[in-house]
Amino acid sequence: MGHNSTTDTNDINYMGNYFLKTYQGCLPADIFVNNFKKCKNGVYVVNTENHNQSGQHWLCFIKYDNGKLLAYDSYAQNINDYNPLFKKLDYWQDRSDWEQDITDENMKNCGFNSLSAGMIFEKYGIDGFKSV
């Protein structure tokens, strides 16, 4: 973040642990989905690709009330379209607002935007998260 390159796991974990009280980690899609029931409540930054792939795009998932799930995508795309594993999850997602243009060649802010979504949830709760 802030060095004109894509955001990697180390950047996200550093900033997530620094800024978020409920940050639970940065995971590939398959690890998150396949272990969701064991995941604690909190903020997760999840890549759209699986652990054996290089990674493509970061999403934010917020688990609360021991199983409910909020999802955030800076492109406001249907998260199921990124990886079929996401279809196993029951989540709420607002697709009416986006912070990044999917056609932008400099698509490097998705990790930061995902962390920001987690910060909004921590500061303003579910209703605040849903109104952004």
Side-chain angles (χ1 to χ4, degrees):
M1 285 183 268
H3 46 68
N4 200 28
S5 65
T6 56
T7 309
D8 66 23
T9 302
N10 292 330
D11 293 331
I12 292 170
N13 279 329
Y14 178 81
M15 298 301 281
N17 285 315
Y18 187 82
F19 286 108
L20 294 163
K21 295 180 291 189
T22 63
Y23 182 70
Q24 297 297 321
C26 184
L27 301 168
D30 58 336
I31 302 297
F32 178 71
V33 172
N34 293 332
N35 294 288
F36 177 72
K37 291 187 185 212
K38 296 183 225 171
C39 290
K40 297 178 182 176
N41 287 345
V43 176
Y44 293 84
V45 177
V46 178
N47 200 279
T48 55
E49 294 197 339
N50 297 329
H51 77 280
N52 58 346
Q53 298 171 302
S54 61
Q56 183 175 357
H57 179 57
W58 295 111
L59 308 169
C60 179
F61 285 97
I62 299 166
K63 185 175 181 180
Y64 67 101
D65 288 349
N66 296 313
K68 293 182 182 176
L69 191 63
L70 301 172
Y72 168 82
D73 173 29
S74 57
Y75 298 136
Q77 299 297 304
N78 183 341
I79 289 174
N80 292 343
D81 292 341
Y82 290 119
N83 189 319
L85 285 175
F86 292 133
K87 292 176 183 175
K88 293 181 177 182
L89 301 173
D90 181 23
Y91 58 84
W92 179 91
Q93 178 192 9
D94 179 6
R95 295 188 46 224
S96 65
D97 188 23
W98 49 270
E99 281 66 53
Q100 284 182 273
D101 185 345
I102 200 161
T103 62
D104 183 1
E105 293 179 14
N106 297 311
M107 303 180 293
K108 299 177 182 171
N109 297 326
C110 55
F112 177 74
N113 289 339
S114 293
L115 288 169
S116 297
M119 290 180 207
I120 290 167
F121 173 77
E122 282 192 356
K123 181 148 178 86
Y124 300 105
I126 296 164
D127 292 336
F129 180 90
K130 287 183 174 182
S131 69
V132 173

